[in-house]
Each structure stands twice: as C-alpha cells, then as structure tokens.
Amino acid sequence: MAVEAATLLQGLRASFRSGRTRPAEWRAAQLKSLVRMIEEKEDDISNALHTDLAKPRMESYLHEISLAKGACIFALKGLKNWMKPDKVPAAITTFPSTATIVPEPLGVVLIISAWNYPFLLSIEPVIGAIAAGNAVVLKPSEIAPATSSLFAKLLPEYVDGSCIKVVEGGINETTSLLEQKWDKIFYTGNGYVARIVMAAAAKHLTPVALELGGKCPVIVDSNVDLHVAVKRIAVGKWGCNNGQACIAPDYIITTKAFVTELVDSLKRVLVRFYGEDPLQSEDLSRIVNANHFNRVIKLIEDKKVADKIVLGGQIDEKQLKIAPTVLVDVPLDTQLMIGEIFGPLLPIVTVEKIEESIDYINAGTKPLAAYLFTKNKKLQEDFIANVSAGGMLVNDVALHLTNPHLPFGGVGDSGIGSYHGKFSFDCFSHKKAVLVRGFGGEANARYPPYTVEKQKILRGLINGSFFALILALLGFPREKR
C-alpha cells in the first residue's frame, strides 16, 4: 500500500505542477459539479447515512446535505474575491513600491475524515481545498463504510479525477498515506489519533489542521425561559446524531436550587420529542457500531455512576440504541466526567452559585464549544471574556457552525486551525507576501560604508523623521560614481 500511496501522490503532484488546479474556472467547475452531485444524489446520501448511523432523513438533510450544498454555493459566490491579491500599505522606506498579499494553493493535501457526520465532515474540507486550488486526497472513515463507499463511487463521476482522489480503507491505508509528504493534512476525529497524525506530519514538516472535540459545557442559569432553553439543549444533544457530535453538549452546569426544575423540564421535552419509548423513535440515531455502543454502556455501568441516572438509561443492544439519559452529580473522578462522552448521556453538575461554573470549566481542557443560557448580561460578559473555547453560543446550541462568516475550529486540546466559508479557503492557502519596487527613490544611506552622516539619516528614517526622509530621497549624502 505504501508504494500505491506514493504513486498516487506522484500523479497528483504532476497534475498540480501542471497548473491544472490554479485557474478560477477549474475551481468553479469542480464546485458546481459538487452542487450537482448533492442535488442529484440526495437520496443516495441519505440512504448511506441511514445505513451507517440510522440517521433520520430530516436530520441528514439539515445537518449534512444542506450545509454541504450551502458551503459549495458560498464558495462559488466568494471565490473570485478570495483569489484576488489583497493590497496593503507599502512603507515609505521602500518608496516607490506596492505591497500585496497573494493567496496561493499549498499543493497536494490529505483530508482524513470522521464517521459521525461522514458526508459533511468529508466534503466541506474538500470544498475549501478545491476553492484554494489544491489537488486533494480524501480518506473517508471506514467506521461509516456506506458513506465511504458512496464517496469512492460518486466523486470520480463528478469531479476531475486527475486532481481529486478518494482512498478507502482502515488503519493500514491511513498509515501508508501518513508516511507520504503532503503539503497539508486536515484531520477530523479524536485526540489520540490526532497525536499520531501530528507526529507523522512532523517528520516532513507538514502543517496540520486538527478538528477535534472535548467536553463541551452548557451553563444554565435559573432566569431563562426554561422550556425554550431545554428544547434547544435537547435537540443540540440528542437531535445531533444522538450525542455523537463534537459540538454536542457534554455536560450541564446549573445551581443546586434549580436542578430539579431543570430535570423535570427535560423529562417533559424528551417525551414530547421521542415518545415514552425513545428506543423505538425513528428520530433518534443509533450508536455507530458495537465497539462504541459498549464503550458508552461501560460509562454508566460504573457503580458510582449507575445510581445517578434520573432519566433514561434504556438500551437495545440489537439496534445499538441507547435512550437519552440524564444524570445528576456524578462523581468527578469517573470516566464519564473525565473523558469526552460522545453519546446520549448528559450529566448535570450542580454548584451553589452559577458564577462558579466559569471556574469549573476553566479547570478542565479547552472545549470545542461552550454554551450559556442566561438573561444576565454580566454573566454573559464574564462567560465570553473568561472562558476559552473554539467557539461559543449564548442561549442556543450548535447553531454557530451554520454561519459561514464565523470560523469553526478548536483551541488547545480541542484542535488546531479553523475552517468554514472563507476560513476554509484560508486553511488550504498560503498567504504570500509580495513587494514590488521601482528603480527610483534610491537612498544612498542604506549602502556601506556606513559613515556618520549615513548613520544619522538611517536612524532618523527608522524613528520616523520627516527631515531624514527628505535627505534620503534627495540622495544624501552624495556618493561618487
């Protein structure tokens, strides 16, 4: 496979070096073809997502298909402006000159995707890489085999196969790909694999973008419209792939005085959303496979955790389904409270005063997303100013990622780099500094030998002296030719 990966990369480099991917026309043609693919193959995409995750059709459309199409259209609209050199001021010391920042493609990039949103998280970085003028290899997740197979079948039918490739497979294939020298690696997944990716990239000094996750907190103040807040939390947790989402709420923080009211509201909303038996609901995704199902079940089989369940806990091993499950005051030394849950379990942490929640969040690693529900402007200001997270949202959950004008990415343990909208274009571009000078404006003072007069003029120029500038432009001190 290593030889195959090297051959694949060699062919893509030849295509890139030929200049094929650079014209705006080529980039736009690929993006238009992706829009057509999404429109024409919506049923196939939905079916693949249902096969992999039992993902409800409407959820597939809202959270993957429509967002992918929107990303293509947004890139098409912005492409020509994004590609234009950005003119910036030129310093007076380089007069006459012009200064520009020219975006150029990085080259051949590798995109390693995730299984939880296997269509969107594969295609959106590909959109950014194409818009930026790169050749691309997409490695979809083998844990979502139906969607991976669909990409391998569809992409060659719609895009330029000499510049855009799909490689299917598991650990062996991914390892072989990582042994090659890429111009950038974009990885979406967990921190353990991210460290492997980063170590492989370091051998070639390859830059990386790592889209990871973390324990995303939700602070719920007691002064909110509780029914609205709980509906938004519920759909952001269980309506996002049944909690298998990097931006899904991982835990709630509220006050001891308010927790009972919050739990009661959650009970009412969850029955309304998923019925008395949520395991039979067609609006609830299943756990992706038996390994992940067993991992999540193990979290609540812990004796210190099991008796903290106040809602849910039902399981169906045959369907790989776990009901929405709420827990209160789980011991903080349990695995449920230490690692990212990535499933339908939602623990609630209680504090005496809601202001304590900020310190609680900051005592852990930096999350990919942080959420706050409150009408208290002071608490909102403190939350925004003092909580470090990849992104944050006040009085809702997850919707910030739908705004293409906002960057999406992590900080610290939750990731490196960002994308979405123009940020995707920037992610796969190099911003090249270009200064162009004329032959006039010679300042003799810049050249040796550095006489006392020259030193005075140079120091004056550096310090912004207008008199020194005039002397320099007039060619003082005079030199003999």
Side-chain angles (χ1 to χ4, degrees):
M1 178 59 198
V3 174
E4 294 176 14
T7 303
L8 173 74
L9 182 58
Q10 186 178 12
L12 288 169
R13 281 212 186 281
S15 294
F16 176 75
R17 286 171 179 162
S18 73
R20 186 173 181 83
T21 66
R22 288 181 178 266
E25 293 75 17
W26 181 90
R27 307 183 199 193
Q30 308 314 304
L31 295 174
K32 288 175 183 175
S33 292
L34 288 178
V35 172
R36 187 163 54 86
M37 181 189 82
I38 293 167
E39 291 175 342
E40 294 175 356
K41 302 299 181 180
E42 181 180 328
D43 285 344
D44 292 342
I45 297 165
S46 293
N47 291 339
L49 293 171
H50 191 270
T51 299
D52 286 331
L53 292 150
K55 190 169 285 194
R57 190 177 186 87
M58 181 51 67
E59 189 178 322
S60 294
Y61 178 76
L62 288 175
H63 298 169
E64 300 212 46
I65 296 168
S66 68
L67 292 179
K69 181 180 174 182
C72 279
I73 293 171
F74 190 86
L76 278 166
K77 288 179 178 177
L79 184 60
K80 288 188 176 179
N81 281 332
W82 298 350
M83 290 178 65
K84 287 178 181 176
D86 184 16
K87 190 171 182 179
V88 296
I92 192 67
T93 52
T94 60
F95 178 86
S97 66
T98 59
T100 53
I101 300 170
V102 178
E104 65 175 5
L106 293 171
V108 185
V109 301
L110 172 63
I111 294 168
I112 305 174
S113 188
W115 55 262
N116 58 328
Y117 286 81
F119 184 73
L120 179 67
L121 296 183
S122 294
I123 203 67
E124 187 160 8
V126 169
I127 291 165
I130 290 172
N134 298 278
V136 188
V137 170
L138 169 64
K139 167 58 184 69
S141 174
E142 70 279 10
I143 298 176
T147 309
S148 177
S149 176
L150 186 68
F151 272 120
K153 176 179 179 292
L154 289 186
L155 278 184
E157 296 177 9
Y158 283 89
V159 296
D160 185 345
S162 69
C163 303
I164 303 162
K165 301 283 189 181
V166 179
V167 175
E168 289 196 279
I171 293 174
N172 290 338
E173 288 76 12
T174 304
T175 301
S176 295
L177 289 170
L178 287 173
E179 288 172 353
Q180 311 306 313
K181 178 176 173 56
W182 304 90
D183 296 299
K184 188 159 193 175
I185 299 174
F186 188 103
Y187 168 75
T188 304
N190 63 63
Y192 174 77
V193 177
R195 288 169 172 82
I196 297 172
V197 171
M198 201 168 185
K203 294 178 182 178
H204 302 291
L205 294 179
T206 298
V208 297
L210 304 176
E211 298 298 330
L212 311 178
K215 295 188 74 65
C216 300
V218 184
I219 301 172
V220 181
D221 200 355
S222 60
N223 63 3
V224 297
D225 183 327
L226 184 58
H227 183 61
V228 171
V230 166
K231 285 194 299 181
R232 292 176 180 180
I233 292 169
V235 79
K237 175 68 172 182
W238 298 287
C240 285
N241 204 23
N242 203 7
Q244 299 169 106
C246 55
I247 56 167
D250 195 90
Y251 65 98
I252 291 174
I253 310 175
T254 195
T255 60
K256 296 183 186 300
F258 191 60
V259 67
T260 301
E261 192 176 345
L262 175 58
V263 170
D264 288 343
S265 184
L266 278 166
K267 289 179 181 177
R268 291 190 295 271
V269 165
L270 287 173
V271 169
R272 179 180 171 186
F273 282 6
Y274 304 113
E276 294 289 348
D277 185 359
L279 296 179
Q280 301 307 314
S281 173
E282 294 183 356
D283 294 318
L284 202 64
S285 300
R286 65 168 168 81
I287 306 304
V288 65
N289 60 26
N291 286 339
H292 281 277
F293 179 86
N294 292 329
R295 175 189 62 80
V296 176
I297 292 302
K298 191 175 180 181
L299 295 176
I300 52 175
E301 285 179 341
D302 185 331
K303 292 179 180 179
K304 294 192 290 184
V305 174
D307 64 352
K308 301 296 184 180
I309 296 174
V310 296
L311 174 62
Q314 306 97 315
I315 65 171
D316 184 331
E317 188 172 0
K318 187 177 180 180
Q319 290 191 83
L320 295 180
K321 280 199 169 185
I322 301 173
T325 301
V326 178
L327 311 93
V328 175
D329 284 335
V330 176
L332 301 182
D333 61 350
T334 58
Q335 192 56 44
L336 181 73
M337 300 306 297
I338 294 171
E340 184 181 6
I341 295 169
F342 222 70
L345 316 179
L346 184 60
I348 300 176
V349 175
T350 62
V351 292
E352 294 294 338
K353 296 180 179 180
I354 200 67
E355 289 77 14
E356 297 171 22
S357 56
I358 291 177
D359 287 337
Y360 181 91
I361 294 169
N362 288 338
T365 57
K366 297 177 180 180
L368 180 61
Y371 306 110
L372 168 68
F373 287 83
T374 189
K375 294 180 181 177
N376 184 332
K377 292 299 181 184
K378 175 65 166 60
L379 180 62
Q380 177 180 319
E381 290 169 1
D382 289 347
F383 173 76
I384 293 171
N386 297 315
V387 172
S388 181
M392 51 179 46
L393 181 54
V394 177
N395 294 330
D396 213 322
V397 171
L399 289 182
H400 61 298
L401 73 81
T402 65
N403 186 335
H405 300 283
L406 290 174
F408 180 76
V411 59
D413 285 8
S414 59
I416 298 170
S418 62
Y419 70 125
H420 283 196
K422 186 176 183 294
F423 300 98
S424 293
F425 177 89
D426 293 340
C427 179
F428 292 102
S429 298
H430 166 61
K431 297 303 180 84
K432 182 165 60 179
V434 178
L435 185 72
V436 178
R437 288 204 71 197
F439 285 100
E442 273 296 86
N444 292 330
R446 68 179 288 205
Y447 302 114
Y450 296 114
T451 63
V452 173
E453 291 87 350
K454 288 182 179 180
Q455 289 184 49
K456 286 181 179 179
I457 291 173
L458 288 173
R459 287 177 179 272
L461 283 172
I462 291 169
N463 291 323
S465 166
F466 182 74
F467 180 67
L469 173 63
I470 295 300
L471 290 177
L473 291 177
L474 290 176
F476 287 98
R478 302 291 188 188
E479 67 174 17
K480 295 180 181 178
R481 286 185 175 266

